[in-house]
Amino acid sequence: MATIHSFEELDIWKKAQAYAVMIFNLTDLNEKIRKDFSFKDQIKRAALSISNNIAEGFEYNNNNDFSRFLRIAKGSCGEVRNCLIFSNNVGYTNYSDNKELIDSLNLLGKQIGKLMSYIHQKRIKTSLAKTRNP
């Protein structure tokens, strides 16, 4: 894996930013969502939380903190998906309009999970190397 020097280089951060913009646009353009201030606030906060947590975790510059913040970002992916499904169920949006975004957020959550696994495996390998070569 290539060395990453800033969170802006991470594909998951780029995708998270793009999805947050989509959610912000959806909440501004959809009259039903626009009128439900608490729902609008919740989905916007959750959407922005994904990239915020990726960025914040990266900036701590250690794998334990980064993994913790990635876990929060992954949870926020699920929260946004849940909000989109809810918006379909209450008639704010149509499932067909949101399906692609829901699927994309699901994939992003999986990609975040894979990065978490990679970091975990790297941590294990480093720990084993230290015990073998004290």
Side-chain angles (χ1 to χ4, degrees):
M1 181 174 264
T3 301
I4 304 290
H5 300 287
S6 69
F7 65 82
E8 294 94 340
E9 296 175 51
L10 293 167
D11 286 338
I12 59 170
W13 178 83
K14 292 174 188 176
K15 289 177 183 179
Q17 278 281 297
Y19 299 146
V21 169
M22 289 179 194
I23 294 297
F24 273 58
N25 288 336
L26 172 69
T27 60
D28 287 342
L29 297 174
N30 183 298
E31 186 178 341
K32 291 177 183 177
I33 293 174
R34 212 172 46 236
K35 289 179 180 179
D36 187 339
F37 299 112
S38 62
F39 177 76
K40 178 182 175 182
D41 183 58
Q42 185 70 31
I43 193 170
K44 286 173 74 172
R45 285 172 169 268
L48 189 55
S49 174
I50 303 167
S51 62
N52 279 347
N53 280 292
I54 293 167
E56 185 173 356
F58 185 91
E59 289 297 316
Y60 278 106
N61 205 28
N62 76 64
N63 286 336
N64 288 336
D65 285 328
F66 192 28
S67 289
R68 183 168 46 96
F69 281 91
L70 287 173
R71 189 170 41 256
I72 296 166
K74 188 175 184 327
S76 293
C77 277
E79 184 177 357
V80 176
R81 287 192 345 260
N82 181 66
C83 286
L84 288 169
I85 293 166
F86 175 80
S87 74
N88 296 333
N89 291 338
V90 296
Y92 290 174
T93 57
N94 294 318
Y95 180 76
S96 59
D97 294 339
N98 290 338
K99 184 181 180 342
E100 188 176 329
L101 183 54
I102 291 168
D103 291 346
S104 296
L105 285 161
N106 191 35
L107 178 60
L108 177 60
K110 289 177 182 176
Q111 291 169 331
I112 292 170
K114 286 180 183 178
L115 180 55
M116 291 167 55
S117 294
Y118 172 81
I119 291 169
H120 179 70
Q121 291 300 318
K122 185 176 175 184
R123 215 173 17 227
I124 290 172
K125 287 178 185 177
T126 302
S127 179
L128 286 174
K130 286 180 182 178
T131 59
R132 290 182 184 153
N133 301 318

